[in-house]
């Protein structure tokens, strides 16, 4: 296993459209090791989600995991598609491993249904709410070259981490 370097905002790979993964390669040792490396990298940098373009691989792969009551189960999404957005919106503070020390409020649908392949190449159909739904949308945005700052509708909430901790931590139930 290996900790991979994170592409930071300004790196053109973060603005590219990621290619679908050929399902035939999913079972390969190289690809399985890549998934393990993505999880290790995500945990090392204390993220709860990571998309392959963030580790300089422009392919449609996302990993996620977050312990806790409103947590996220260990998830691998390969070639994901959102097939349904719920009618209600939720606002959450978001951050990103590719944008150091920044937070901002983003409004997104609070429920999504997503279809994707799992790490065994099997089709999975996930209905996600709350943090899980927001994380899926944030990570899938990376696959189409979008960052959370592109989704912000009120740029006045863009906040450096130190100021976030000083002024905004209290009000935020959850941060991704
Ligand atoms: Ni991100």
């Amino acid at each position: 296993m290996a900790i991979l370097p994170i592409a930071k905002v300004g790196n053109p790979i973060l603005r590219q459209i990621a290619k679908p993964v050929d399902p035939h390669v999913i079972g390969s040792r190289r690809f399985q090791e890549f998934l393990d490396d993505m999880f290790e990298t995500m945990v090392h940098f204390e993220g709860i989600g990571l998309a392959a373009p963030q580790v300089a691989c422009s392919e449609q792969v996302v990993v996620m995991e977050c312990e806790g009551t409103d947590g996220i189960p260990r998830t691998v999404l390969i070639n994901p598609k959102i097939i349904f957005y719920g009618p209600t919106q939720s606002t959450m503070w978001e951050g990103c491993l590719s944008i150091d020390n920044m937070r901002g409020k983003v409004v997104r649908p609070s429920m999504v249904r997503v279809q994707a392949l799992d790490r065994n190449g099997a089709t999975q159909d996930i209905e996600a709410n709350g943090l899980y739904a927001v994380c899926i949308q944030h990570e899938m945005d990376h696959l189409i070259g979008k960052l959370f700052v592109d989704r912000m509708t009120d740029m006045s909430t863009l906040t450096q981490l130190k100021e976030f901790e000083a002024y905004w931590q209290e009000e935020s139930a959850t941060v991704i």
Side-chain angles (χ1 to χ4, degrees), residues 86-91 107-110:
T88 60
Q89 312 277 308
S90 70
T91 304
V107 182
R108 298 185 189 269
S110 56

Side-chain angles (χ1 to χ4, degrees), residues 49-51 54 95-98 138-139 142 147-148:
L50 186 69
Q54 294 183 275
C96 182
L97 294 179
S98 294
H138 175 119
E139 299 310 331
H142 281 298
L147 300 170
F148 81 86

Side-chain angles (χ1 to χ4, degrees), residues 74-92:
R74 192 173 177 87
T75 303
V76 173
L77 301 178
I78 300 166
N79 302 342
K81 286 187 174 50
I82 292 177
I83 57 164
F84 181 75
Y85 290 94
T88 60
Q89 312 277 308
S90 70
T91 304
M92 252 183 224

Side-chain angles (χ1 to χ4, degrees), residues 124-136:
Q124 55 185 340
D125 190 319
I126 297 170
E127 196 176 298
N129 292 282
L131 179 65
Y132 196 15
V134 170
C135 192
I136 286 172

